[in-house]
Amino acid sequence: MTSFDAIVIGGGHNGLVAAATLAKSGRKVLVLEAAGEIGGAARTEEFAPGFRAAPAHLLNRLHPEVVKTLELEKHGLVFSGGTPTPNPSPQGGGEPAAGSVQRQPSTAMAEPGPISPSPLWGGVRGGGIQLAPSVALSRDGKPLTLHGAYGESLSGASASEAAAWQELRAQLLRYAGILKPLLARRPPDLGNMSLMETSAFAMTGLSLCRLGKEDMRDFLRMLLMNVSDVADEHLDDDRLKGLLAFDATLGSHLGPRSPTSLLGLYYRLAGEIGGQTGAQALPAGGMGAVVASILRAAEAAGVSIRTEAPVAKILVEEGRAAGVALDGGEEIRARTIVSAINPRSTFLDLVGTREIDTGFVRRIKNIRMKGNAAKLHLALDRPPEFAGVDAAGHRGRLVIAHSSDHVERAFNPAKYGEFSPEPVIEITLPSLSDPTLAPSGACVLSAIVQDAPYALKEGWEEGKPKFLAAIMAQLELYAPGIGKLVRHAELLTPADLEARYRMPGGHWHHGELQADQMLMSRPALGAAGYDTPVDGLFLCGAGSHPGGGISGVPGLNAARRIIEMRG
């Protein structure tokens, strides 16, 4: 029976961040991953011969404290300097493609590989990051583009609309900035706040007061508003309104007119890349390259990693976690167990309801986590041409959501287990920035399609071909002839995401990111601060505060909480 100081269940990016942070504190740490590769939904995989992509395709939340703590720039994460060059193409002999992350299965412990910087970004500008623009596509071939860090400048709109946007953008960033510290630290325990937590909470209140009377009043007024009403108050251009509505509701079971939908936009704008708030970038090598840098940091800290090692049970003895049992019956002991997987799976499947009280079980069962987004990968003969979009726009993020009404109409059928014939879509062409993701001359299209209900009324076996046809019809309107370029299409519904990545409901946040499932209520009362009702068991996944996205914050905060509590 093997023993460790800490066992981390799940080899996604948060699990790796937690493991690396704990190992750097001097602990002996083991990561157990059920799949054959680590990385979770951030791993880059081949979906057609020579074509690779990952479910997560844009980076906009990787927290600078994670980068600093794990020294990720020493482990292949490049933010600036030099001219990026593509990762080398895989050679013969079946070697893994660049950006993929593979480790020894089951009992074999992985040896740290050589640390060689691989470019993260598709390019650099002025020694900084090459940011991906956001292009709001239009049926008349006249797109609107947000440049820089979420629209530092705007093109394709009137001068008056550009001025109105800059005023609204500044306001949104100010208000997101009030919430940003709350999303970066452990949520306060209102019943037992430490002096540090009280001070941090007070600083948030002070930041609010510093806004001034008018801004403070507007912040409180807008906090629970819907994004559609806010956009209508400030803007006239339907394309810009549609883009904001899409970004505020992406990945959530909400429409732009749903109360509190503006919180989704605040959550997005509280993220940053390389110190640039609201920025987004397409990582070279796919998101797997980001995971690879975190993996190298973990291995350098001495973390042991086992793949193909699904956990069947968390061992609980006299009310405290004592280890895990694998599917094959092997038991591994540890005084600390850290779960990076879905909280419902953690408590209901691995711990078991006999070890926790009925009230807590009920709260865990009531977490809303039915996914509402699908992922599309297209292997194309050549890059498509979106009408009116220049070369820089094709290397960015293209959004089909031509108005706030369009986003709302696409959401309406999802409430009743159906999909819209005109879905709203976020599109990237990652192989334009990283040619290693596709064969020479070919192209990868990676898209997130919103409002794909987890429980489709007719069932996804029958519904998937129809949904794919609806998506392709939408793409054809904005990129004529794209259908003739398709070599292979992979459509992952929420049900597919659930099965492939072991995410109940196929929800990438491991639970709806809405007002009643945030901060002190994430994932549920009694487990909101990473520690749980089971002594020695901690949470560090996307279902924990602050939520999903490739940030590493849940993993870092959970590890720091363990170090604080257990020395």
Short mmCIF file of all heavy atoms in Angstrom, two decimals, residues 17-74:
data_model
loop_
_atom_site.label_atom_id
_atom_site.label_comp_id
_atom_site.label_asym_id
_atom_site.label_seq_id
_atom_site.Cartn_x
_atom_site.Cartn_y
_atom_site.Cartn_z
N VAL A 17 -2.14 22.46 -11.26
CA VAL A 17 -1.71 23.67 -10.53
C VAL A 17 -1.69 23.39 -9.03
O VAL A 17 -0.74 23.75 -8.33
CB VAL A 17 -2.64 24.85 -10.86
CG1 VAL A 17 -2.40 26.02 -9.90
CG2 VAL A 17 -2.45 25.32 -12.29
N ALA A 18 -2.75 22.74 -8.53
CA ALA A 18 -2.80 22.40 -7.11
C ALA A 18 -1.65 21.47 -6.73
O ALA A 18 -0.97 21.66 -5.71
CB ALA A 18 -4.14 21.75 -6.76
N ALA A 19 -1.42 20.45 -7.56
CA ALA A 19 -0.36 19.49 -7.27
C ALA A 19 1.01 20.15 -7.25
O ALA A 19 1.83 19.90 -6.35
CB ALA A 19 -0.39 18.36 -8.31
N ALA A 20 1.28 21.00 -8.24
CA ALA A 20 2.58 21.68 -8.31
C ALA A 20 2.79 22.60 -7.12
O ALA A 20 3.88 22.64 -6.53
CB ALA A 20 2.68 22.47 -9.61
N THR A 21 1.75 23.32 -6.73
CA THR A 21 1.86 24.25 -5.60
C THR A 21 2.11 23.48 -4.30
O THR A 21 2.95 23.89 -3.47
CB THR A 21 0.58 25.09 -5.48
OG1 THR A 21 0.32 25.74 -6.74
CG2 THR A 21 0.72 26.15 -4.39
N LEU A 22 1.41 22.37 -4.11
CA LEU A 22 1.62 21.55 -2.91
C LEU A 22 3.02 20.94 -2.90
O LEU A 22 3.68 20.88 -1.86
CB LEU A 22 0.56 20.45 -2.84
CG LEU A 22 -0.86 20.90 -2.53
CD1 LEU A 22 -1.84 19.74 -2.69
CD2 LEU A 22 -0.96 21.50 -1.13
N ALA A 23 3.48 20.48 -4.05
CA ALA A 23 4.81 19.88 -4.12
C ALA A 23 5.90 20.90 -3.83
O ALA A 23 6.91 20.58 -3.20
CB ALA A 23 5.02 19.24 -5.50
N LYS A 24 5.69 22.14 -4.28
CA LYS A 24 6.67 23.18 -4.02
C LYS A 24 6.76 23.52 -2.53
O LYS A 24 7.74 24.11 -2.08
CB LYS A 24 6.33 24.44 -4.83
CG LYS A 24 6.66 24.31 -6.32
CD LYS A 24 6.13 25.48 -7.13
CE LYS A 24 6.91 26.74 -6.90
NZ LYS A 24 8.25 26.70 -7.52
N SER A 25 5.71 23.13 -1.78
CA SER A 25 5.75 23.36 -0.33
C SER A 25 6.44 22.21 0.41
O SER A 25 6.48 22.21 1.64
CB SER A 25 4.32 23.53 0.21
OG SER A 25 3.63 22.29 0.24
N GLY A 26 6.95 21.23 -0.33
CA GLY A 26 7.68 20.13 0.27
C GLY A 26 6.90 18.85 0.43
O GLY A 26 7.39 17.88 1.02
N ARG A 27 5.69 18.79 -0.11
CA ARG A 27 4.86 17.59 0.02
C ARG A 27 5.14 16.58 -1.09
O ARG A 27 5.51 16.96 -2.20
CB ARG A 27 3.38 17.98 0.01
CG ARG A 27 2.92 18.66 1.29
CD ARG A 27 1.56 19.32 1.10
NE ARG A 27 0.96 19.74 2.35
CZ ARG A 27 1.29 20.84 3.01
NH1 ARG A 27 2.23 21.64 2.52
NH2 ARG A 27 0.69 21.15 4.15
N LYS A 28 4.90 15.32 -0.77
CA LYS A 28 4.98 14.24 -1.75
C LYS A 28 3.58 14.10 -2.35
O LYS A 28 2.63 13.74 -1.66
CB LYS A 28 5.41 12.95 -1.07
CG LYS A 28 5.59 11.76 -2.01
CD LYS A 28 5.98 10.52 -1.22
CE LYS A 28 6.14 9.30 -2.13
NZ LYS A 28 6.42 8.07 -1.33
N VAL A 29 3.44 14.39 -3.65
CA VAL A 29 2.14 14.52 -4.28
C VAL A 29 2.00 13.55 -5.46
O VAL A 29 2.92 13.38 -6.25
CB VAL A 29 1.90 15.97 -4.79
CG1 VAL A 29 0.50 16.12 -5.38
CG2 VAL A 29 2.11 16.97 -3.65
N LEU A 30 0.83 12.97 -5.56
CA LEU A 30 0.49 12.07 -6.67
C LEU A 30 -0.76 12.59 -7.36
O LEU A 30 -1.75 12.93 -6.71
CB LEU A 30 0.22 10.66 -6.15
CG LEU A 30 -0.36 9.64 -7.15
CD1 LEU A 30 0.64 9.33 -8.26
CD2 LEU A 30 -0.78 8.36 -6.43
N VAL A 31 -0.73 12.67 -8.68
CA VAL A 31 -1.90 13.01 -9.50
C VAL A 31 -2.42 11.75 -10.16
O VAL A 31 -1.65 11.00 -10.79
CB VAL A 31 -1.57 14.06 -10.57
CG1 VAL A 31 -2.76 14.28 -11.51
CG2 VAL A 31 -1.16 15.39 -9.93
N LEU A 32 -3.71 11.48 -10.02
CA LEU A 32 -4.35 10.33 -10.65
C LEU A 32 -5.32 10.81 -11.73
O LEU A 32 -6.25 11.56 -11.45
CB LEU A 32 -5.09 9.51 -9.60
CG LEU A 32 -4.24 8.88 -8.50
CD1 LEU A 32 -5.12 8.26 -7.43
CD2 LEU A 32 -3.28 7.83 -9.09
N GLU A 33 -5.08 10.40 -12.96
CA GLU A 33 -5.93 10.79 -14.09
C GLU A 33 -6.54 9.55 -14.71
O GLU A 33 -5.84 8.58 -15.03
CB GLU A 33 -5.10 11.55 -15.12
CG GLU A 33 -5.79 11.77 -16.46
CD GLU A 33 -7.12 12.49 -16.36
OE1 GLU A 33 -7.20 13.50 -15.61
OE2 GLU A 33 -8.09 12.04 -17.00
N ALA A 34 -7.87 9.58 -14.90
CA ALA A 34 -8.57 8.41 -15.43
C ALA A 34 -8.27 8.17 -16.91
O ALA A 34 -8.22 7.03 -17.37
CB ALA A 34 -10.08 8.58 -15.22
N ALA A 35 -8.07 9.24 -17.67
CA ALA A 35 -7.85 9.12 -19.11
C ALA A 35 -6.41 8.73 -19.41
O ALA A 35 -5.55 8.69 -18.53
CB ALA A 35 -8.20 10.43 -19.81
N GLY A 36 -6.14 8.47 -20.68
CA GLY A 36 -4.79 8.12 -21.10
C GLY A 36 -3.87 9.31 -21.22
O GLY A 36 -2.65 9.15 -21.32
N GLU A 37 -4.43 10.52 -21.23
CA GLU A 37 -3.64 11.74 -21.29
C GLU A 37 -4.17 12.70 -20.24
O GLU A 37 -5.34 12.68 -19.89
CB GLU A 37 -3.74 12.40 -22.67
CG GLU A 37 -3.20 11.57 -23.82
CD GLU A 37 -3.30 12.31 -25.14
OE1 GLU A 37 -3.35 13.56 -25.12
OE2 GLU A 37 -3.35 11.64 -26.18
N ILE A 38 -3.30 13.57 -19.77
CA ILE A 38 -3.74 14.59 -18.83
C ILE A 38 -4.22 15.82 -19.60
O ILE A 38 -4.06 15.92 -20.81
CB ILE A 38 -2.62 14.97 -17.84
CG1 ILE A 38 -1.48 15.65 -18.59
CG2 ILE A 38 -2.13 13.77 -17.06
CD1 ILE A 38 -0.82 16.71 -17.80
N GLY A 39 -4.79 16.76 -18.88
CA GLY A 39 -5.20 18.02 -19.51
C GLY A 39 -6.69 18.24 -19.53
O GLY A 39 -7.15 19.36 -19.73
N GLY A 40 -7.49 17.18 -19.34
CA GLY A 40 -8.94 17.33 -19.35
C GLY A 40 -9.42 17.95 -20.66
O GLY A 40 -8.92 17.62 -21.75
N ALA A 41 -10.37 18.87 -20.56
CA ALA A 41 -10.93 19.51 -21.76
C ALA A 41 -9.98 20.51 -22.39
O ALA A 41 -10.32 21.11 -23.42
CB ALA A 41 -12.25 20.19 -21.40
N ALA A 42 -8.80 20.69 -21.81
CA ALA A 42 -7.81 21.60 -22.40
C ALA A 42 -6.76 20.85 -23.22
O ALA A 42 -5.86 21.47 -23.76
CB ALA A 42 -7.12 22.41 -21.30
N ARG A 43 -6.88 19.52 -23.31
CA ARG A 43 -5.86 18.79 -24.05
C ARG A 43 -6.14 18.84 -25.56
O ARG A 43 -7.28 18.78 -26.01
CB ARG A 43 -5.75 17.35 -23.57
CG ARG A 43 -6.97 16.47 -23.76
CD ARG A 43 -6.69 15.05 -23.25
NE ARG A 43 -7.81 14.15 -23.46
CZ ARG A 43 -8.60 13.69 -22.49
NH1 ARG A 43 -8.40 14.06 -21.25
NH2 ARG A 43 -9.59 12.86 -22.77
N THR A 44 -5.08 19.00 -26.32
CA THR A 44 -5.17 19.05 -27.78
C THR A 44 -5.15 17.62 -28.32
O THR A 44 -4.25 16.85 -28.01
CB THR A 44 -4.01 19.86 -28.36
OG1 THR A 44 -4.02 21.18 -27.79
CG2 THR A 44 -4.12 19.98 -29.88
N GLU A 45 -6.15 17.28 -29.14
CA GLU A 45 -6.28 15.92 -29.63
C GLU A 45 -6.52 15.92 -31.14
O GLU A 45 -7.07 16.87 -31.70
CB GLU A 45 -7.45 15.21 -28.94
CG GLU A 45 -7.29 15.07 -27.44
CD GLU A 45 -8.52 14.46 -26.78
OE1 GLU A 45 -9.61 15.04 -26.90
OE2 GLU A 45 -8.37 13.39 -26.16
N GLU A 46 -6.15 14.83 -31.78
CA GLU A 46 -6.40 14.67 -33.20
C GLU A 46 -7.85 14.23 -33.41
O GLU A 46 -8.30 13.25 -32.82
CB GLU A 46 -5.45 13.62 -33.79
CG GLU A 46 -5.52 13.53 -35.31
CD GLU A 46 -4.46 12.61 -35.89
OE1 GLU A 46 -4.59 11.39 -35.67
OE2 GLU A 46 -3.52 13.10 -36.55
N PHE A 47 -8.59 14.97 -34.23
CA PHE A 47 -9.98 14.61 -34.51
C PHE A 47 -10.17 14.10 -35.93
O PHE A 47 -11.23 13.57 -36.28
CB PHE A 47 -10.90 15.82 -34.25
CG PHE A 47 -10.71 16.98 -35.20
CD1 PHE A 47 -11.49 17.09 -36.34
CD2 PHE A 47 -9.78 17.97 -34.92
CE1 PHE A 47 -11.32 18.16 -37.21
CE2 PHE A 47 -9.61 19.05 -35.78
CZ PHE A 47 -10.38 19.15 -36.93
N ALA A 48 -9.15 14.27 -36.75
CA ALA A 48 -9.10 13.71 -38.11
C ALA A 48 -7.63 13.58 -38.44
O ALA A 48 -6.80 14.28 -37.85
CB ALA A 48 -9.82 14.63 -39.11
N PRO A 49 -7.24 12.68 -39.35
CA PRO A 49 -5.82 12.48 -39.64
C PRO A 49 -5.10 13.79 -39.95
O PRO A 49 -5.42 14.48 -40.93
CB PRO A 49 -5.84 11.54 -40.85
CG PRO A 49 -7.11 10.76 -40.69
CD PRO A 49 -8.09 11.75 -40.12
N GLY A 50 -4.16 14.16 -39.08
CA GLY A 50 -3.37 15.37 -39.28
C GLY A 50 -3.99 16.64 -38.73
O GLY A 50 -3.36 17.70 -38.77
N PHE A 51 -5.23 16.57 -38.22
CA PHE A 51 -5.92 17.76 -37.73
C PHE A 51 -6.11 17.65 -36.21
O PHE A 51 -6.62 16.64 -35.73
CB PHE A 51 -7.30 17.91 -38.39
CG PHE A 51 -7.25 18.20 -39.86
CD1 PHE A 51 -7.12 17.18 -40.79
CD2 PHE A 51 -7.35 19.51 -40.32
CE1 PHE A 51 -7.09 17.44 -42.15
CE2 PHE A 51 -7.32 19.79 -41.68
CZ PHE A 51 -7.19 18.75 -42.60
N ARG A 52 -5.74 18.72 -35.47
CA ARG A 52 -5.82 18.67 -34.02
C ARG A 52 -6.50 19.93 -33.47
O ARG A 52 -6.37 21.02 -34.03
CB ARG A 52 -4.42 18.54 -33.40
CG ARG A 52 -3.73 17.25 -33.77
CD ARG A 52 -2.37 17.10 -33.13
NE ARG A 52 -1.46 18.16 -33.54
CZ ARG A 52 -0.94 19.07 -32.72
NH1 ARG A 52 -1.24 19.06 -31.44
NH2 ARG A 52 -0.11 19.99 -33.18
N ALA A 53 -7.21 19.73 -32.34
CA ALA A 53 -7.89 20.85 -31.68
C ALA A 53 -8.21 20.42 -30.26
O ALA A 53 -8.03 19.25 -29.88
CB ALA A 53 -9.16 21.24 -32.43
N ALA A 54 -8.69 21.36 -29.47
CA ALA A 54 -9.11 21.09 -28.08
C ALA A 54 -10.46 21.74 -27.86
O ALA A 54 -10.80 22.74 -28.51
CB ALA A 54 -8.09 21.64 -27.09
N PRO A 55 -11.28 21.20 -26.93
CA PRO A 55 -12.56 21.85 -26.62
C PRO A 55 -12.39 23.30 -26.20
O PRO A 55 -13.17 24.17 -26.59
CB PRO A 55 -13.11 20.99 -25.48
CG PRO A 55 -12.53 19.64 -25.72
CD PRO A 55 -11.14 19.91 -26.23
N ALA A 56 -11.38 23.59 -25.39
CA ALA A 56 -11.07 24.98 -25.03
C ALA A 56 -10.14 25.54 -26.09
O ALA A 56 -9.10 24.94 -26.39
CB ALA A 56 -10.39 25.02 -23.65
N HIS A 57 -10.49 26.68 -26.68
CA HIS A 57 -9.66 27.15 -27.79
C HIS A 57 -9.18 28.59 -27.64
O HIS A 57 -8.41 29.06 -28.48
CB HIS A 57 -10.38 26.96 -29.14
CG HIS A 57 -11.66 27.72 -29.28
ND1 HIS A 57 -12.54 27.46 -30.31
CD2 HIS A 57 -12.22 28.71 -28.57
CE1 HIS A 57 -13.59 28.26 -30.22
NE2 HIS A 57 -13.40 29.04 -29.17
N LEU A 58 -9.63 29.32 -26.62
CA LEU A 58 -9.17 30.69 -26.39
C LEU A 58 -8.69 30.82 -24.95
O LEU A 58 -9.29 30.27 -24.03
CB LEU A 58 -10.29 31.70 -26.64
CG LEU A 58 -10.56 32.10 -28.09
CD1 LEU A 58 -11.86 32.87 -28.18
CD2 LEU A 58 -9.42 32.96 -28.63
N LEU A 59 -7.63 31.56 -24.77
CA LEU A 59 -7.09 31.79 -23.44
C LEU A 59 -7.38 33.23 -23.03
O LEU A 59 -6.96 34.17 -23.72
CB LEU A 59 -5.58 31.54 -23.46
CG LEU A 59 -4.89 31.29 -22.12
CD1 LEU A 59 -5.43 30.03 -21.45
CD2 LEU A 59 -3.39 31.18 -22.30
N ASN A 60 -8.13 33.41 -21.94
CA ASN A 60 -8.42 34.77 -21.49
C ASN A 60 -8.48 34.93 -19.98
O ASN A 60 -8.88 35.97 -19.48
CB ASN A 60 -9.73 35.28 -22.11
CG ASN A 60 -10.92 34.38 -21.82
OD1 ASN A 60 -10.89 33.58 -20.88
ND2 ASN A 60 -11.97 34.50 -22.62
N ARG A 61 -8.06 33.86 -19.25
CA ARG A 61 -8.19 33.94 -17.80
C ARG A 61 -6.96 33.45 -17.03
O ARG A 61 -7.00 33.42 -15.80
CB ARG A 61 -9.40 33.12 -17.32
CG ARG A 61 -10.73 33.54 -17.91
CD ARG A 61 -11.88 33.00 -17.08
NE ARG A 61 -11.84 33.51 -15.73
CZ ARG A 61 -12.29 34.71 -15.38
NH1 ARG A 61 -12.80 35.52 -16.27
NH2 ARG A 61 -12.22 35.10 -14.12
N LEU A 62 -5.90 33.03 -17.69
CA LEU A 62 -4.75 32.47 -16.97
C LEU A 62 -4.21 33.52 -16.01
O LEU A 62 -3.67 34.55 -16.42
CB LEU A 62 -3.68 32.01 -17.94
CG LEU A 62 -2.49 31.28 -17.32
CD1 LEU A 62 -2.95 30.01 -16.60
CD2 LEU A 62 -1.45 30.94 -18.38
N HIS A 63 -4.33 33.24 -14.70
CA HIS A 63 -4.06 34.27 -13.71
C HIS A 63 -2.56 34.50 -13.54
O HIS A 63 -1.78 33.54 -13.47
CB HIS A 63 -4.67 33.88 -12.36
CG HIS A 63 -4.86 35.04 -11.46
ND1 HIS A 63 -3.85 35.56 -10.68
CD2 HIS A 63 -5.95 35.83 -11.22
CE1 HIS A 63 -4.30 36.59 -9.99
NE2 HIS A 63 -5.56 36.78 -10.30
N PRO A 64 -2.12 35.77 -13.47
CA PRO A 64 -0.68 36.05 -13.35
C PRO A 64 -0.06 35.45 -12.09
O PRO A 64 1.14 35.13 -12.07
CB PRO A 64 -0.62 37.58 -13.33
CG PRO A 64 -1.99 38.05 -13.01
CD PRO A 64 -2.91 37.01 -13.57
N GLU A 65 -0.85 35.29 -11.02
CA GLU A 65 -0.31 34.69 -9.79
C GLU A 65 0.02 33.22 -10.00
O GLU A 65 0.97 32.70 -9.41
CB GLU A 65 -1.32 34.85 -8.65
CG GLU A 65 -0.78 34.50 -7.28
CD GLU A 65 0.31 35.43 -6.79
OE1 GLU A 65 0.43 36.55 -7.32
OE2 GLU A 65 1.06 35.03 -5.88
N VAL A 66 -0.75 32.55 -10.87
CA VAL A 66 -0.44 31.16 -11.21
C VAL A 66 0.86 31.09 -12.00
O VAL A 66 1.74 30.25 -11.72
CB VAL A 66 -1.60 30.52 -12.02
CG1 VAL A 66 -1.22 29.13 -12.53
CG2 VAL A 66 -2.87 30.46 -11.18
N VAL A 67 1.00 31.99 -12.96
CA VAL A 67 2.22 32.04 -13.77
C VAL A 67 3.43 32.30 -12.89
O VAL A 67 4.48 31.65 -13.01
CB VAL A 67 2.10 33.13 -14.86
CG1 VAL A 67 3.39 33.26 -15.64
CG2 VAL A 67 0.94 32.82 -15.79
N LYS A 68 3.30 33.23 -11.95
CA LYS A 68 4.41 33.60 -11.06
C LYS A 68 4.74 32.47 -10.08
O LYS A 68 5.91 32.10 -9.91
CB LYS A 68 4.04 34.87 -10.30
CG LYS A 68 5.08 35.32 -9.29
CD LYS A 68 4.59 36.56 -8.54
CE LYS A 68 5.57 36.96 -7.44
NZ LYS A 68 5.07 38.14 -6.67
N THR A 69 3.72 31.92 -9.43
CA THR A 69 3.95 30.90 -8.40
C THR A 69 4.62 29.66 -8.97
O THR A 69 5.53 29.09 -8.36
CB THR A 69 2.63 30.52 -7.72
OG1 THR A 69 2.06 31.68 -7.11
CG2 THR A 69 2.82 29.45 -6.66
N LEU A 70 4.17 29.23 -10.13
CA LEU A 70 4.72 28.01 -10.74
C LEU A 70 5.89 28.29 -11.67
O LEU A 70 6.44 27.37 -12.26
CB LEU A 70 3.62 27.26 -11.50
CG LEU A 70 2.40 26.83 -10.69
CD1 LEU A 70 1.49 25.95 -11.52
CD2 LEU A 70 2.82 26.11 -9.41
N GLU A 71 6.23 29.59 -11.82
CA GLU A 71 7.34 29.98 -12.69
C GLU A 71 7.15 29.37 -14.09
O GLU A 71 8.06 28.77 -14.66
CB GLU A 71 8.68 29.54 -12.10
CG GLU A 71 8.96 30.11 -10.71
CD GLU A 71 10.24 29.59 -10.09
OE1 GLU A 71 10.26 28.39 -9.73
OE2 GLU A 71 11.22 30.36 -10.01
N LEU A 72 5.95 29.58 -14.64
CA LEU A 72 5.60 28.90 -15.89
C LEU A 72 6.44 29.36 -17.07
O LEU A 72 6.62 28.61 -18.03
CB LEU A 72 4.11 29.10 -16.18
CG LEU A 72 3.14 28.42 -15.23
CD1 LEU A 72 1.71 28.62 -15.68
CD2 LEU A 72 3.45 26.93 -15.11
N GLU A 73 6.96 30.58 -17.01
CA GLU A 73 7.77 31.03 -18.13
C GLU A 73 9.08 30.24 -18.23
O GLU A 73 9.69 30.17 -19.29
CB GLU A 73 8.04 32.53 -18.01
CG GLU A 73 6.78 33.36 -18.25
CD GLU A 73 7.03 34.84 -18.13
OE1 GLU A 73 7.90 35.24 -17.33
OE2 GLU A 73 6.34 35.61 -18.82
N LYS A 74 9.51 29.62 -17.13
CA LYS A 74 10.69 28.75 -17.17
C LYS A 74 10.35 27.39 -17.75
O LYS A 74 11.24 26.61 -18.07
CB LYS A 74 11.25 28.55 -15.75
CG LYS A 74 11.86 29.78 -15.12
CD LYS A 74 12.43 29.42 -13.76
CE LYS A 74 13.07 30.63 -13.08
NZ LYS A 74 13.62 30.27 -11.74
#
